[in-house]
Amino acid sequence: MTDSPSARARNTLGRPFSLGGLTLRNRVVMAPMTRQFSPGGVPGPDVAEYYARRAAAEVGLIVTEGTYVDHPSAGTSDRVPRFHGEDALAGWEKVADAVHRAGGAVMPQLWHVGMVRAAGAPPFPDAPRTGPSGIPLEGTETGRAMTRADIDDVVAAFAAGAAAAEARGFDGVEIHGAHGYLVDQFLWSHTNRRTDAYGGDPASRVRFAAEIVAACREAVSPHFPISFRTSQWKAGHYQARLAETPDELEAVLTPLAEAGVDVFHCSTRRYWLPEFEGSDLNLAGWAKKLTGRPTITVGSVGLDNEFFAAFQGADGGVTDIEALLERLERDEFDLVAVGRSLLGDPEWAAKVLSGRFGDLRPFDAAGLAVLH
């Protein structure tokens, strides 16, 4: 490669990309990061400004922080935004407008925490902790196993959120199916001990997620992009794996692709690590190879330590992205999501795309927002 570092970054990350009926101006995605800056679940002008600032600095696609779907057990904080109710949706419409005026595209991430919910927590203190089998990720405080009526209600809530996203002017929608939250709890054998059609082998454990995807696809226009965020790791279970082999991963992802997923957003601790022995492909690389769908890679992009170190108060120094560009050049994945680097430096994308690497600001752990 003879291009200068600045030209290489511009020519690789700066390429447009089509996703359903959406054309992104470049390959840079802002990763969803929970902030708890929406009192009463309503995003205000400061939230619109926060996202618009990064769009104005050339982020191609913003995936918002996780937003609760319309189900009483979906959340565990009254400061996390919700994606239902006229007040919250009016706030989100202003967010979408602000991002569009700044030249970016934006998707809300729809979220149900499942058994991660704390008993008695807002926004609905009387709502039960629910999950596929009522089994927590860790600890002994059990919850209620979801009935078929519960499952139908949650599927409908995700579909309503997707329809609201399109109606309020968003450019797509993302389903949070990672990190040990509700959708992922169905996918993971540790938390899914059901003996009905929603538990057992991988094909049965993926049924709930596939029904959500299919319902969302039915609720929106054919070319409205649907993203699905997936991960092997879970909060507090960083070595957990849904799949030990490519065949097992294919059994999870193929039904989701067939149900209507347009892009897989593959969350890892460090994007540069191979997912399976015998191949250099990371999780996003394998997801693309197995499904043929576009993928987004994410995991400590632009930083010299993984994001779990930030939970311990460690700062993240700036590091180069040569290995990232090499992988993108060979089409291992299609888009690159950036988290902490964009928290620490809202102009990260603009600086990288213009080759101003020396101007990048390091991540300060004091400003950490919990990653989701």
Side-chain angles (χ1 to χ4, degrees):
M1 178 65 64
T2 58
D3 286 347
S4 67
S6 59
R8 187 181 186 191
R10 182 176 63 252
N11 293 338
T12 305
L13 280 171
R15 294 174 294 164
F17 187 75
S18 295
L19 194 59
L22 174 66
T23 299
L24 302 174
R25 58 182 170 178
N26 60 45
R27 305 299 179 101
V28 181
V29 178
M30 182 175 180
M33 291 172 283
T34 294
R35 303 172 65 236
Q36 300 198 54
F37 286 170
S38 297
V42 178
D46 58 320
V47 176
E49 181 182 0
Y50 166 78
Y51 289 118
R53 182 181 182 188
R54 281 137 180 99
E58 298 189 49
V59 172
L61 172 64
I62 288 169
V63 182
T64 74
E65 61 209 282
T67 67
Y68 297 148
V69 296
D70 189 7
H71 185 260
S73 298
T76 195
S77 168
D78 61 359
R79 294 186 59 84
V80 168
R82 49 187 160 83
F83 211 78
H84 59 91
E86 180 57 35
D87 52 354
L89 292 177
W92 278 119
E93 187 169 2
K94 292 176 182 177
V95 171
D97 289 344
V99 170
H100 291 155
R101 287 196 300 271
V106 59
M107 298 180 178
Q109 185 190 71
L110 303 182
W111 186 24
H112 192 302
V113 303
M115 287 297 298
V116 175
R117 172 177 165 75
F124 298 101
D126 294 334
R129 302 174 81 230
T130 61
S133 303
I135 297 172
L137 273 69
E138 51 191 341
T140 59
E141 187 180 2
T142 59
R144 193 184 78 189
M146 293 172 66
T147 66
R148 179 56 191 263
D150 294 328
I151 288 172
D152 291 344
D153 287 346
V154 172
V155 169
F158 273 91
E166 185 170 28
R168 297 288 175 156
F170 282 82
D171 301 291
V173 67
E174 178 164 288
I175 297 164
H176 197 336
H179 303 170
Y181 297 111
L182 180 64
V183 176
D184 199 23
Q185 288 162 26
F186 272 84
L187 296 173
W188 192 27
S189 60
H190 175 76
T191 45
N192 186 345
R193 312 287 179 84
R194 299 177 72 96
T195 58
D196 63 2
Y198 293 89
D201 61 13
S204 298
R205 295 199 305 271
V206 77
R207 186 184 306 273
F208 176 65
E211 286 185 0
I212 288 175
V213 173
C216 289
R217 172 51 63 208
E218 181 69 21
V220 299
S221 301
H223 300 296
F224 190 72
I226 295 176
S227 172
F228 188 92
R229 198 171 212 214
T230 188
S231 71
Q232 298 258 40
W233 67 270
K234 326 297 173 195
H237 295 263
Y238 304 128
Q239 303 306 314
R241 298 179 70 81
L242 293 178
E244 296 290 348
T245 66
D247 286 346
E248 291 179 359
L249 183 63
E250 186 175 19
V252 173
L253 298 184
T254 297
L256 300 176
E258 292 174 346
V261 169
D262 295 291
V263 58
F264 286 99
H265 189 174
C266 301
S267 176
T268 59
R269 297 167 69 181
R270 291 157 288 192
Y271 77 84
W272 55 87
L273 292 183
E275 193 59 39
F276 302 112
E277 291 185 7
S279 169
D280 290 336
L281 293 177
N282 69 6
L283 183 61
W286 274 109
K288 181 175 181 177
K289 179 177 180 178
L290 294 170
T291 68
R293 295 292 193 271
T295 58
I296 305 169
T297 196
V298 65
S300 304
V301 172
L303 297 172
D304 61 5
N305 63 8
E306 65 181 44
F307 64 81
F308 291 109
F311 292 135
Q312 312 302 322
D315 296 337
V318 173
T319 190
D320 67 63
I321 57 170
E322 291 299 302
L324 179 75
L325 297 178
E326 288 176 6
R327 289 169 176 263
L328 196 57
E329 286 166 348
R330 62 176 182 255
D331 293 325
E332 179 178 340
F333 38 75
D334 303 283
L335 300 160
V336 176
V338 183
R340 284 179 297 149
S341 292
L342 273 170
L343 281 183
D345 190 345
E347 296 188 357
W348 186 91
K351 291 175 181 179
V352 167
L353 290 168
S354 62
R356 293 180 287 137
F357 302 107
D359 295 337
L360 291 171
R361 298 206 315 250
F363 171 75
D364 178 2
L368 176 67
V370 177
L371 291 172
H372 283 306

